[in-house]
Amino acid sequence: GVDTIEVCGSSTPVSLSSYLTIADEEINDTLTWEIRSASRTAVITGTHFSVITKGKNIRPENIQYQASEPATGIDTLTVIVSDGINRSVKNILVRVTPVIRNNFITGPERICTSEPSPVLQGSFPEGGNGSYTFTWELSVLPDSKAFRQMNSLEQNSITPAFTGSSWFRRTVVSGACTSISASIRIIAVNNGLWLGKENNNWHQAG
């Protein structure tokens, strides 16, 4: 059989354990897994694994796949399971997508509380599998744990409900890849604070 998984290039390791689980009714057999990869850039932890069977499903642990940039495309893993007499072979197709790049947002540094909510602009991302979902997030604290999702999935721009000085960021997901933009802060200023703009009487002589 053939299984297909998707991983992000240069991402954290992905567990292969669920794809290597088998059922063996025998007891006290020694089963051995061997994993062969056609990739010269991927790192596989635990390419050889053996266990004594106990007549139940066997799930090898700590076998992980990690792609390394600039690897993209499809890597074929050949998995061979043997008890010393019989053997079973399956292929796992690993679809490696490039990491997401060019994810950033812009907006005004300051805005008067009496003005309409600011418009935030987002870049066109690159990488991933070419299909993107977007999540805009807001925080009134600089701590990244305090960000909460706003009710918008727009890609390029958003006009958030602005109630005071806040941080904003955008998360982009494409296949197995996720990118979080750098956050920006928009400061709310009260009416009456001079921001360097001229008033009607600025050039009149006293």
Side-chain angles (χ1 to χ4, degrees):
V2 178
D3 290 325
T4 301
I5 62 176
E6 189 172 53
V7 302
C8 188
S10 191
S11 65
T12 56
V14 176
S15 174
L16 298 177
S17 296
S18 61
Y19 300 93
L20 304 177
T21 301
I22 66 169
D24 191 333
E25 301 299 328
E26 300 294 331
I27 297 177
N28 293 327
D29 278 350
T30 299
L31 292 184
T32 301
W33 283 257
E34 179 183 357
I35 304 175
R36 301 172 183 173
S37 171
S39 173
R40 295 183 178 180
T41 57
V43 176
I44 302 176
T45 303
T47 53
H48 289 76
F49 176 87
S50 62
V51 68
I52 303 297
T53 62
K54 297 180 180 180
K56 60 181 182 179
N57 287 348
I58 303 170
R59 176 187 173 103
E61 301 294 342
N62 302 320
I63 298 182
Q64 299 177 322
Y65 180 100
Q66 182 172 16
S68 303
E69 284 194 287
T72 58
I74 296 178
D75 184 12
T76 301
L77 306 182
T78 301
V79 181
I80 303 170
V81 182
S82 174
D83 63 0
I85 300 175
N86 304 301
R87 75 174 198 163
S88 178
V89 179
K90 73 179 290 187
N91 289 325
I92 300 176
L93 300 182
V94 182
R95 193 180 306 277
V96 183
T97 56
V99 297
I100 298 173
R101 295 183 174 86
N102 197 45
N103 175 29
F104 62 88
I105 63 174
T106 58
E109 294 182 2
R110 291 177 173 83
I111 186 170
C112 287
T113 54
S114 61
E115 295 180 358
S117 294
V119 177
L120 305 182
Q121 300 287 343
S123 61
F124 289 93
E126 302 172 355
N129 61 12
S131 177
Y132 307 99
T133 59
F134 303 88
T135 303
W136 292 81
E137 297 172 306
L138 160 72
S139 175
V140 295
L141 300 172
D143 189 345
S144 62
K145 297 179 181 179
F147 276 93
R148 59 181 175 83
Q149 182 176 340
M150 294 185 287
N151 293 326
S152 177
L153 299 178
E154 295 294 328
Q155 170 184 347
N156 299 324
S157 65
I158 183 177
T159 305
F162 190 71
T163 57
S165 297
S166 304
W167 281 261
F168 299 90
R169 70 184 186 184
R170 183 182 69 173
T171 298
V172 180
V173 177
S174 180
C177 297
T178 299
S179 169
I180 301 176
S181 72
S183 60
I184 64 171
R185 187 187 186 193
I186 300 180
I187 300 174
V189 294
N190 295 322
N191 294 338
L193 176 64
W194 185 60
L195 297 178
K197 298 180 181 179
E198 298 176 359
N199 61 29
N200 292 335
N201 297 320
W202 184 255
H203 290 296
Q204 293 183 2

